[in-house]
Amino acid sequence: MSFVEYGDTIKDGDTAIVFLGHESMFPVKVQHGTVTQTKYGVIRHSTDLIGKKYGSKVTCSKGGWVFILHPTPELWTMNLPHRTQILYSTDISIITMMLELKPGSIVCESGTGSGSLSHAIIRTVAPTGHLYTVEFHQQRAEKAREEFREHGVEHLVTVTNQDVCKNGFGVSNIADAVFLDIPSPWEAIGHAKSALKAEGGRICSFSPCIEQVQRTCLAMEEYGFTEINTLEILLRVYNVRTISLQIPDLGRAAESNSSTGFDSSSPSNQGSLCTNLQQGTVQFKSGVPLREMVGHTGYLTFATKS
């Protein structure tokens, strides 16, 4: 099993996604002799998972069923254990596009955090690219190494435990792109410039506060970066619903009544007319925005090394 290569069959040691519904799923490490509890009953790894195909429908001990999905960076972002705040697919998609990442790209990242963006970058630059990711916190760095090894991508990533603001990324003049998600990114702009290739490399900084963005932009200008711009990505989700609306009376009913001798002024006829109007409804599909939406996550500042 690898997050960058699809496998048909579930094997011992794989990481799989147990899908109970669109709003309910979780990752599980497949191990011989292990069981996993769900609200639909027990899943026995030896008999229910190992040897089955990914995407299979598995019946649990209580008679309910789940699907077992092959892991992807998108599914991992939705289900990973949070060690820090993470980036989600909305920001990740614009980052990978604006940094112009592709297979073979060399990328430097700080900090690694929970590895949400890291997995997406690795999948994008595979099979010949490489990610150099720096994490200040030792335990988080060790956990990230362990996860990359379990997910079959350790050959595509190098994890370093150090302070990027003081010690940099450990590489020079080879990176096609640099991503910063740290409290004081302006202190690492010089190291980012040193890590980037001689000309044309791209940099992105993620910051939740506009004051951080201001200081970062000043530092980028000081180090000669060009094409500096800041984006804020807001996601608005629409639900498709069936809506019933009354057919408007545009005068045709009155004309029809007059031609048939229908007296709308009569009390008995007025009741009949109201009943007909209430029954004259039409159903159609409509996109309705959610009453609550995810608001501000952070500002994305991009620039180019000139």
Side-chain angles (χ1 to χ4, degrees), residues 162-300:
Q162 64 187 30
D163 185 352
V164 70
C165 296
K166 296 180 179 179
N167 307 114
F169 294 94
V171 296
S172 299
N173 302 319
I174 65 169
D176 298 288
V178 169
F179 176 79
L180 298 174
D181 183 7
I182 55 178
S184 53
W186 57 89
E187 296 180 359
I189 298 300
H191 294 297
K193 182 176 181 180
S194 300
L196 287 168
K197 60 186 181 181
E199 185 177 358
R202 295 279 287 166
I203 183 174
C204 174
S205 174
F206 176 90
S207 296
C209 302
I210 195 63
E211 292 82 5
Q212 294 171 302
V213 174
Q214 292 170 333
R215 296 189 65 175
T216 302
C217 289
L218 290 173
M220 288 178 175
E221 287 183 342
E222 180 182 346
Y223 281 96
F225 283 89
T226 60
E227 300 178 345
I228 302 172
N229 63 88
T230 298
L231 308 176
E232 181 184 24
I233 311 301
L234 299 177
L235 178 65
R236 191 178 189 190
V237 178
Y238 281 76
N239 281 340
V240 178
R241 297 179 181 175
T242 301
I243 294 180
S244 297
L245 288 180
Q246 183 175 309
I247 298 175
D249 181 7
L250 302 178
R252 288 174 296 181
E255 294 175 1
S256 176
N257 294 338
S258 61
S259 63
T260 58
F262 186 87
D263 185 6
S264 62
S265 62
S266 171
S268 60
N269 289 341
Q270 286 179 351
S272 176
L273 179 61
C274 292
T275 301
N276 291 335
L277 287 176
Q278 291 174 355
Q279 293 175 347
T281 59
V282 62
Q283 291 186 338
F284 62 94
K285 298 292 184 181
S286 177
V288 180
L290 301 179
R291 293 183 178 181
E292 296 181 358
M293 63 174 281
V294 177
H296 171 76
T297 57
Y299 300 102
L300 295 170

